[in-house]
Amino acid sequence: MWDYTDKVKDHFLNPRNTGRVEGANGVGEVGSLACGDALTLTLKINADQIIEDARFQTFGCASAIASSSALTEMVIGMHIDEAAKITNEDIAEYLGGLPKEKIHCSVMGRDALERAIADYRGETVKVAKGNVVCHCFGVTDLEIERAVREAKLTTLEEVTDYLKAGGGCGNCHQEIEAIIKAVSDGVSYEHPTSFPLPGRMTTMQKIKLIEKVIEEDVRPALQKDHGDMELIDVDGNRVIVKFQGACAGCSKSQITLKNHVEAKLRERVSMELSVEEAVDENRIC
């Protein structure tokens, strides 16, 4: 159970400024339903560039709702130049603090505000593309490096609290730690070179390579969290698998299936592969 302040509880139970602003001229959208957190922030900004109204819609936990609610209270009446200076730490402080594991919720609010102001100004928010490190939550090496530098993060756990990166299957932990070390050493981080895809393969060669990748790269990561996976069949470019252990029935299993298992097989075997979970014929819907 998270230790929430009274103010966090109040904003969660009685959120302010929910919904969408009618006639909004600044809209910021961040997150993804697939990742478990999503936020849309709409602003009404007048000719003097004062935020007259701010409303939010979010899909997320208590901290996400409270952070979004608090953010709207903070920015209403502000000039957009002043609002643009708000940090995720300001949002957390306004709420009397957030559990360290929930800091990413205030980061989401800050990012939505940045996008909404950019939308009003007709600007494009510069998104650091980079290479995806955490496939579960779609976080790149450049995003992790930026967070480590700006927030002075020094551990894997702090990065996960801040960005959610590393909070899924765990297969990216080693690379996240390498980014932290590179920043600490004052050197540029270089993303590992992608594995060259094999050339034309026979059906048997493809199946053998799929088995090898699953055994060496996929199952060990799942087993760290007491889960596992079994290869059931390969039908052309369709790979059918079955989750076991803690992964079976997990609410995030479909995210793991696509963002980790499928991504890894496409990286190492063929970009044409798609991964599906075997249908449990005994399950009653």
Side-chain angles (χ1 to χ4, degrees):
M1 182 67 180
W2 308 118
D3 185 16
Y4 291 120
T5 67
D6 290 339
K7 198 164 186 179
V8 170
K9 295 175 184 176
D10 181 37
H11 275 273
F12 167 58
L13 296 172
N14 306 287
R16 285 68 149 167
N17 308 309
T18 59
R20 296 180 70 96
V21 172
E22 186 174 348
N25 51 4
V27 180
E29 296 180 326
V30 296
S32 165
L33 290 177
C35 296
D37 288 307
L39 168 64
T40 298
L41 178 70
T42 52
L43 305 177
K44 180 68 173 180
I45 304 170
N46 65 24
D48 295 322
Q49 299 191 343
I50 302 298
I51 300 174
E52 291 185 339
D53 197 5
R55 295 183 179 275
F56 78 94
Q57 294 174 309
T58 189
F59 175 85
C61 63
S63 295
I65 295 171
S67 295
S68 303
S69 173
L71 177 62
T72 59
E73 275 197 341
M74 294 170 68
V75 301
I76 292 176
M78 274 190 178
H79 190 281
I80 58 173
D81 289 343
E82 183 183 5
K85 297 176 183 177
I86 291 177
T87 66
N88 66 293
E89 288 87 357
D90 293 330
I91 299 171
E93 184 177 348
Y94 184 86
L95 288 166
L98 285 170
K100 64 182 182 65
E101 296 86 356
K102 294 295 181 178
I103 290 297
H104 65 267
C105 296
S106 60
V107 175
M108 188 168 64
R110 179 206 64 185
D111 290 348
L113 177 61
E114 180 183 24
R115 290 175 183 269
I117 292 174
D119 180 53
Y120 167 78
R121 289 172 169 167
E123 301 172 348
T124 300
V125 176
K126 294 181 179 179
V127 179
K129 294 188 180 297
N131 300 287
V132 175
V133 171
C134 177
H135 288 278
C136 292
F137 297 105
V139 186
T140 69
D141 52 355
L142 294 183
E143 290 174 308
I144 296 171
E145 184 173 352
R146 175 190 175 188
V148 170
R149 291 185 188 281
E150 291 183 352
K152 297 179 174 55
L153 309 179
T154 60
T155 67
L156 169 64
E157 289 75 16
E158 289 176 346
V159 171
T160 301
D161 295 340
Y162 201 90
L163 294 174
K164 294 182 73 172
C169 68
N171 201 45
C172 58
H173 288 181
Q174 186 173 353
E175 189 167 356
I176 293 174
E177 290 174 337
I179 295 173
I180 295 171
K181 186 177 188 306
V183 173
S184 176
D185 293 343
V187 299
S188 297
Y189 174 75
E190 294 185 7
H191 186 75
T193 303
S194 298
F195 291 95
L197 289 175
R200 187 177 181 84
M201 294 180 288
T202 65
T203 301
M204 185 58 67
Q205 288 174 327
K206 181 167 68 174
I207 293 174
K208 288 293 185 183
L209 184 54
I210 289 172
E211 291 176 337
K212 176 180 173 66
V213 173
I214 288 176
E215 286 299 317
E216 295 182 357
D217 295 333
V218 176
R219 293 187 64 215
L222 300 179
Q223 289 168 350
K224 287 181 181 178
D225 291 322
H226 309 290
D228 208 340
M229 192 187 75
E230 177 187 2
L231 176 63
I232 300 299
D233 193 13
V234 177
D235 181 10
N237 287 319
R238 293 173 60 235
V239 179
I240 296 92
V241 301
K242 181 178 181 180
F243 283 119
Q244 299 173 331
C247 293
C250 174
S251 61
K252 295 182 179 179
S253 63
Q254 290 305 305
I255 298 175
T256 302
L257 186 75
K258 292 297 180 182
N259 294 353
H260 176 53
V261 182
E262 185 174 278
K264 182 63 66 176
L265 288 174
R266 286 184 171 184
E267 177 188 359
R268 297 291 303 276
V269 183
S270 170
M271 288 300 295
E272 298 179 353
L273 294 180
S274 65
V275 182
E276 305 171 15
E277 188 173 4
V279 176
D280 185 354
E281 297 180 351
N282 296 319
R283 183 170 58 193
I284 299 175
C285 298

